[in-house]
């Protein structure tokens, strides 16, 4: 239980930095979506914990993270799906750069071997990188150093249908993974995440029709 709690806490710090970089670099205020972001991060962390420690399928965890994050930006932040991928990759790469620099400039103290050997060092790196990443994203946003684009100009035709289809396919794929992995508990986080995305997608569709 303690291992799960620590994993969730420090992974949340790391996830917050990733989303902060993805939003702030593209001139979007994290504070506007903070509660949504925290909820999605917790769901992603839960999925990661199950996938990594229970299903022993850690190699697919990054793919699950990217998929859920893209759906978040598409359905909740309302960014076209092409730019959603760009923002998500930017956030992940930005955090990876910070993490790599932290390990490299520790001169072996936070080496990969040390992190694997001492869990507290892994949590320390997550905390340092999380704080640095969140502050760096906020600093970029405050100094107006990010990028601004007219996202709507590249919104694909039929994108709303594609988003719902992507959610459905993702659900089927992860359900299959759960079935063959014999871990029904993973269904909890999956169902909650998919319900959130479908709710916002349908809500926006209804609002658009009413405005039309």
């Amino acid at each position: 239980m303690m291992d799960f709690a620590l994993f969730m806490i420090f992974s949340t710090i790391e996830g917050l930095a990733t989303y902060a970089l993805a939003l702030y670099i593209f001139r979007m205020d994290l504070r506007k979506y903070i509660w949504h972001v925290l909820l999605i991060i917790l769901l992603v962390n839960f999925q990661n914990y199950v996938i990594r420690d229970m299903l022993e399928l850690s190699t697919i965890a990054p793919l699950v993270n990217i998929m859920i994050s893209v759906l978040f930006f598409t359905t909740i932040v309302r960014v076209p799906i092409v730019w959603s991928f760009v923002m998500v990759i930017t956030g992940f790469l930005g955090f990876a750069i910070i993490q790599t620099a932290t390990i490299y400039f520790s001169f072996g103290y936070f080496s990969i071997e040390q992190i694997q050997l001492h869990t507290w060092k892994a949590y320390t790196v997550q905390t340092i990188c999380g704080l640095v990443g969140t502050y760096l994203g906020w600093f970029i946003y405050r100094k107006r150093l990010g990028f601004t684009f007219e996202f709507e100009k590249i919104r694909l035709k039929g994108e709303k249908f594609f988003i719902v289809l992507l959610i459905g396919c993702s659900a089927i794929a992860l359900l299959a993974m759960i079935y063959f992995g014999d871990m029904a508990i993973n269904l909890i986080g999956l169902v909650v995440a998919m319900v959130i995305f479908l709710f916002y997608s349908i809500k926006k569709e209804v609002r658009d029709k009413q405005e039309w």
Side-chain angles (χ1 to χ4, degrees):
M1 187 63 183
M2 179 60 68
D3 178 66
F4 173 74
L6 291 174
F7 177 87
M8 292 295 289
I9 292 171
F10 292 102
S11 294
T12 298
I13 296 173
E14 177 180 309
L16 188 61
T18 302
Y19 277 80
L21 290 167
L23 287 166
Y24 282 140
I25 288 176
F26 289 91
R27 303 294 303 143
M28 294 185 179
D29 192 354
L30 172 66
R31 293 172 298 180
K32 182 179 179 181
Y33 307 100
I34 187 61
W35 296 115
H36 298 90
V37 167
L38 288 175
L39 176 59
I40 295 302
I41 289 174
L42 289 173
L43 289 171
V44 167
N45 292 343
F46 178 78
Q47 295 293 125
N48 288 347
Y49 184 82
V50 173
I51 291 173
R52 187 199 68 175
D53 294 341
M54 297 184 181
L55 292 182
E56 298 182 353
L57 295 172
S58 58
T59 55
I60 71 169
L63 297 178
V64 174
N65 294 354
I66 292 174
M67 179 199 68
I68 293 179
S69 297
V70 167
L71 290 175
F72 165 79
F73 281 102
T74 305
T75 60
I76 298 178
V77 184
R78 290 296 158 189
V79 176
I81 193 164
V82 174
W83 277 110
S84 294
F85 274 103
V86 173
M87 293 177 70
V88 169
I89 297 302
T90 299
F92 275 86
L93 286 179
F95 186 85
I97 291 172
I98 293 172
Q99 190 174 57
T100 301
T102 300
I103 294 174
Y104 179 79
F105 288 107
S106 71
F107 302 103
Y109 187 74
F110 288 130
S111 65
I112 301 299
E113 293 77 13
Q114 287 294 314
I115 290 175
Q116 293 175 342
L117 185 62
H118 304 287
T119 304
W120 69 269
K121 286 193 175 183
Y123 291 150
T124 301
V125 170
Q126 283 182 298
T127 302
I128 293 173
C129 296
L131 294 176
V132 170
T134 302
Y135 175 78
L136 180 61
W138 172 81
F139 180 82
I140 290 173
Y141 179 78
R142 183 185 179 189
K143 296 297 182 179
R144 301 183 181 276
L145 300 175
F147 304 97
T148 56
F149 299 96
E150 295 185 27
F151 293 122
E152 294 301 322
K153 286 187 175 181
I154 60 169
R155 188 176 291 278
L156 303 176
K157 292 183 178 180
E159 183 171 301
K160 295 176 182 177
F161 171 77
F162 178 74
I163 292 170
V164 175
L165 180 63
L166 179 61
I167 294 173
C169 291
S170 300
I172 293 173
L174 289 176
L175 283 171
M177 181 191 70
I178 293 168
Y179 176 78
F180 290 109
D182 193 24
M183 277 303 304
I185 190 173
N186 196 38
L187 183 62
I188 298 174
L190 172 64
V191 169
V192 173
M194 293 307 169
V195 167
I196 291 173
F197 294 135
L198 283 172
F199 171 77
Y200 277 95
S201 182
I202 295 173
K203 181 180 178 181
K204 182 62 168 59
E205 180 71 20
V206 172
R207 184 184 303 167
D208 291 342
K209 288 182 178 180
Q210 290 175 343
E211 291 177 354
W212 185 82

